[in-house]
Amino acid sequence: MLQRSIFLLAIVTVSIVASTGATLCGCSKDIALRLTNIYENGNTDFHYDYCENIGDGRGYTAGIAGFCTGTGDAWEVIQAYHKLTGGKDDFSSMDSVLKKDADNSDSSTSGLESYCKVWANLGKTSKQFQQVQDTIRDNLYYSPSQKLADQLGLKFDVSRGEMYDTGLQHGTDTDPDGLPSLINDTNAKFTSDQTGSSGSTLTINGHKVDEIVWLKKFIEVRVDDLKHPKEKDNQGGNTWAGDTYRTDSYMYMINAGTYMFGKSVKALDNDGKPIIDIALRLTNIYENGDTDFHYDYCEDIKDGRGFTAGIAGFCTGTGDAWEVIQAYHKLTGGEDDFSPMDSVLKKYAEEESESTSGLEDYCKVWEKLGKSDKKFQQAQESIRDKFYYTPSQEEADKLGLKFDITRGEMYDTGIQHGTSSDADGLPALIKYTNEKFTSDTTGDSGSTLNINGKKVDEIEWLKKFIEVRDDDLKNPKESYNQGGDAWADDTYRTISYTHMIDAGTYMFGKSVQALDNDGNSITVKCGKESSLRRRDANGRPIRRYRKLIKPSENPVVRKGRRFRITMNGTFNTTRTFS
């Protein structure tokens, strides 16, 4: 934990006209808290039982917000806990030392030899102790940050989340590095109206300022303060200069247009890597043979669709590769290494051409940017989500699906079968499944769907959906999905989901036991790679062949299909990698 000021007795007046804010609540608040957990603790968990002396001159650091014996917030937590226990608990014998250390801002841990043992034990076992940590965190950091957000009139979750994260790191007091001061410094930058496209306008010093324009400027001010803190306590060896990964993550969300959090949000971890959910990584196994996101993959696999590249096999001959590159252009201003190829890429997308003529540097550029350019990685994710993930989850919302496993199956089906309305697409398979239910169907999952006016257990519905999908894989209705490049042996995907159903794994949590493409057990962890690696002799991921998609007025939403590759790496093509 880094130095911060904690006690806010009065909210400082900032140079704005106050208006009603959109308070973070429910999932949005939880996500904002968990995002800051990543930056503070390395993951999204709430570490109520954490305790150690990290040698930062603040005594013991402990709990979900790094409460310290040498600053006073730990003593606030313990006093709140005493109120719930009547003052008779395992901390009581240390009260005089804890009060003295808090009053004197003392870094000493003398007389607190059993402190971490007590904190860790209560943090694991006592709901009351966890409750008081939540309360003090909110009182000292979360609520003050949201009051300042209200004064500014901030509407977006991403803006309000940034206020909380700044408050927890910089403090909510009036010192020069605190959140109120950073807001004042930001407001001073606006001497005229500043327009934008977010749809939310703030009044700053009498000027109309787009909220996202303001937020970007705030982050600039915060980054400068991290690199050049004004308070002596925040300078020197325990510097903030390397802590800009927090602002990098919020800028990532801003650039992705993630202004509201909803039920989930993609952010960056402390190494600058996107935090990805398990459902995506499960499908990576079935598509690529491992859980990695191969942003830099690119080759012509001779399937009649031109070059295939990136995390979702975007193709020059179907249009989704061109969608990725256009999204990247928006982030770069249109001046990047793909720009000289634009006319050819646009032409091949419109004509659904398998040609790669004129694209001799295409894979070289894709691989380079896929490895090193976060904006290019972000563009791939946004197009994958736009055409495959988001439509599949919208279908899940219509059905009222509650379980991760059901929603994950919708995504996996969408990326294999497509999310458009052809006879083999996800919407059609849902329709075929729903037609199977002509009466109430009970189950013990605890989640009930309304299908054609009938009450249907969600897991029973999922089992029937998998039957329908399996039948479609073996007997596809569209002619372009039939023939030699058939789906018939692609049922290992549904076998894996059935394995999870049988194990009762309805919610994914931090990890899930699934099956790989040969039926072997594999652990898939959220935001982490699995031990499974399927590579050729050059260390590149082994890809399955996919069908040429049917010409369509909207070809992008129809995903290609792949052959299954065995774990020994056999495949029926010769490939050269540059």
Side-chain angles (χ1 to χ4, degrees):
M1 293 286 175
L2 299 171
Q3 195 74 14
R4 64 182 178 227
S5 300
I6 65 165
F7 291 107
L8 181 71
L9 300 179
I11 302 295
V12 67
T13 301
V14 291
S15 303
I16 57 169
V17 175
S19 62
T20 302
T23 304
L24 287 167
C25 59
C27 283
S28 294
K29 178 182 177 181
D30 186 66
I31 287 172
L33 298 179
R34 289 181 183 277
L35 282 169
T36 292
N37 284 357
I38 296 166
Y39 318 138
E40 291 284 309
N41 304 319
N43 58 37
T44 60
D45 297 347
F46 292 92
H47 295 281
Y48 295 97
D49 59 332
Y50 166 74
C51 184
E52 68 175 312
N53 184 354
I54 60 175
D56 65 348
R58 299 200 300 159
Y60 284 118
T61 297
I64 59 170
F67 304 110
C68 296
T69 55
T71 62
D73 51 0
W75 178 229
E76 290 286 324
V77 170
I78 291 165
Q79 288 181 94
Y81 182 55
H82 286 338
K83 289 180 180 178
L84 296 179
T85 65
K88 302 293 183 181
D89 54 66
D90 292 343
F91 281 117
S92 302
S93 62
M94 295 178 256
D95 279 359
S96 61
V97 178
L98 288 166
K99 184 177 186 303
K100 178 178 73 70
D101 289 349
D103 290 344
N104 298 329
S105 299
D106 196 337
S107 64
S108 174
T109 58
S110 177
L112 299 176
E113 287 74 18
S114 60
Y115 178 83
C116 275
K117 182 179 179 180
V118 171
W119 189 293
N121 178 53
L122 293 175
K124 287 178 181 176
T125 61
S126 174
K127 295 288 186 184
Q128 288 183 322
F129 189 55
Q130 294 174 3
Q131 176 187 329
V132 297
Q133 290 190 51
D134 291 335
T135 300
I136 300 304
R137 175 204 58 207
D138 285 359
N139 288 348
L140 297 181
Y141 307 117
Y142 182 78
S143 294
S145 74
Q146 297 310 291
K147 287 179 181 177
L148 288 169
D150 288 343
Q151 290 183 17
L152 284 161
L154 301 180
K155 301 293 191 299
F156 296 131
D157 293 350
V158 70
S159 311
R160 301 182 74 93
E162 171 67 10
M163 294 303 99
Y164 166 65
D165 185 66
T166 306
L168 188 64
Q169 183 183 29
H170 294 246
T172 53
D173 204 353
T174 57
D175 71 85
D177 295 319
L179 174 59
S181 296
L182 297 185
I183 290 173
N184 280 329
D185 293 345
T186 302
N187 289 347
K189 304 286 185 182
F190 293 99
T191 57
S192 62
D193 291 353
Q194 296 289 318
T195 59
S197 59
S198 76
S200 175
T201 302
L202 311 179
T203 301
I204 306 294
N205 304 324
H207 302 294
K208 294 181 178 180
V209 179
D210 180 85
E211 180 171 337
I212 295 301
V213 172
W214 184 91
L215 179 58
K216 289 179 179 178
K217 184 61 67 176
F218 176 85
I219 288 176
E220 286 182 17
V221 168
R222 183 185 178 190
V223 169
D224 183 69
D225 190 72
L226 286 169
K227 293 179 179 178
H228 308 99
K230 301 171 186 68
E231 289 286 322
K232 185 177 180 181
D233 286 344
N234 298 328
Q235 300 168 0
N238 197 13
T239 181
W240 286 346
D243 232 18
T244 56
Y245 53 81
R246 309 169 80 113
T247 51
D248 289 344
S249 185
Y250 269 89
M251 280 304 302
Y252 174 86
M253 289 183 279
I254 292 168
N255 290 334
T258 308
Y259 302 161
M260 301 303 288
F261 289 162
K263 295 180 180 177
S264 65
V265 65
K266 289 192 186 67
L268 300 180
D269 65 19
N270 296 344
D271 294 320
K273 297 178 180 178
I275 301 162
I276 306 296
D277 71 287
I278 287 175
L280 299 182
R281 291 187 178 274
L282 281 169
T283 291
N284 281 0
I285 296 170
Y286 316 139
E287 290 282 304
N288 307 322
D290 60 36
T291 61
D292 298 353
F293 291 89
H294 296 286
Y295 298 96
D296 60 332
Y297 167 75
C298 184
E299 67 175 313
D300 182 356
I301 61 174
K302 308 299 182 184
D303 64 348
R305 301 200 302 158
F307 285 118
T308 296
I311 58 172
F314 305 110
C315 296
T316 55
T318 63
D320 51 1
W322 177 230
E323 291 286 334
V324 170
I325 290 165
Q326 289 180 92
Y328 181 56
H329 285 338
K330 288 181 181 179
L331 297 177
T332 65
E335 297 297 328
D336 54 65
D337 292 344
F338 281 117
S339 301
M341 297 177 252
D342 279 359
S343 60
V344 178
L345 289 166
K346 184 174 186 293
K347 176 175 178 287
Y348 289 166
E350 291 173 348
E351 296 177 355
E352 296 175 340
S353 174
E354 65 180 298
S355 175
T356 58
S357 178
L359 299 177
E360 287 74 19
D361 292 332
Y362 178 82
C363 275
K364 181 179 179 181
V365 171
W366 189 291
E367 290 170 358
K368 174 188 173 184
L369 296 175
K371 287 178 181 176
S372 60
D373 192 317
K374 290 180 181 177
K375 289 181 179 178
F376 187 54
Q377 294 175 0
Q378 177 186 330
Q380 292 188 49
E381 292 166 4
S382 68
I383 298 304
R384 174 203 60 201
D385 288 358
K386 180 179 180 180
F387 292 115
Y388 308 118
Y389 184 79
T390 299
S392 74
Q393 297 311 290
E394 287 174 350
E395 294 289 342
D397 289 341
K398 291 176 189 176
L399 287 162
L401 302 181
K402 302 293 190 300
F403 296 131
D404 293 347
I405 191 172
T406 326
R407 302 182 75 93
E409 171 68 11
M410 295 303 98
Y411 167 66
D412 186 66
T413 305
I415 206 166
Q416 183 184 27
H417 294 246
T419 54
S420 63
S421 57
D422 70 80
D424 296 317
L426 173 61
L429 298 186
I430 290 172
K431 179 177 178 289
Y432 304 150
T433 303
N434 290 348
E435 290 171 351
K436 304 288 185 181
F437 293 98
T438 57
S439 61
D440 291 351
T441 304
T442 59
D444 56 6
S445 76
S447 174
T448 302
L449 311 179
N450 187 327
I451 306 295
N452 303 322
K454 309 299 180 184
K455 294 181 179 179
V456 178
D457 180 84
E458 180 171 337
I459 295 301
E460 294 303 314
W461 183 92
L462 177 58
K463 291 176 180 177
K464 186 60 67 177
F465 176 86
I466 287 175
E467 287 180 17
V468 168
R469 183 185 178 189
D470 275 347
D471 183 68
D472 190 72
L473 287 170
K474 295 172 182 176
N475 305 289
K477 299 169 184 64
E478 298 286 354
S479 60
Y480 52 87
N481 294 327
Q482 300 168 0
D485 195 16
W487 285 346
D489 64 349
D490 233 20
T491 55
Y492 54 84
R493 310 169 80 115
T494 52
I495 291 171
S496 181
Y497 268 89
T498 300
H499 171 79
M500 290 184 281
I501 292 170
D502 292 342
T505 309
Y506 302 162
M507 302 302 288
F508 289 160
K510 297 177 186 176
S511 65
V512 65
Q513 287 292 131
L515 300 179
D516 65 23
N517 298 345
D518 290 324
N520 300 314
S521 181
I522 179 175
T523 300
V524 182
K525 296 182 179 180
C526 186
K528 295 182 179 180
E529 301 171 357
S530 72
S531 58
L532 176 65
R533 293 290 182 274
R534 190 184 316 209
R535 299 285 192 270
D536 65 10
N538 295 299
R540 300 296 298 273
I542 294 172
R543 297 266 172 168
R544 288 183 294 281
Y545 273 125
R546 301 180 297 177
K547 279 294 291 182
L548 175 63
I549 63 172
K550 178 183 178 182
S552 164
E553 69 282 356
N554 189 14
V556 178
V557 298
R558 195 169 286 128
K559 179 66 179 174
R561 292 79 175 173
R562 303 185 181 194
F563 273 147
R564 179 175 187 264
I565 302 299
T566 59
M567 288 300 291
N568 63 14
T570 58
F571 50 95
N572 56 349
T573 183
T574 302
R575 292 175 287 176
T576 302
F577 300 99
S578 57

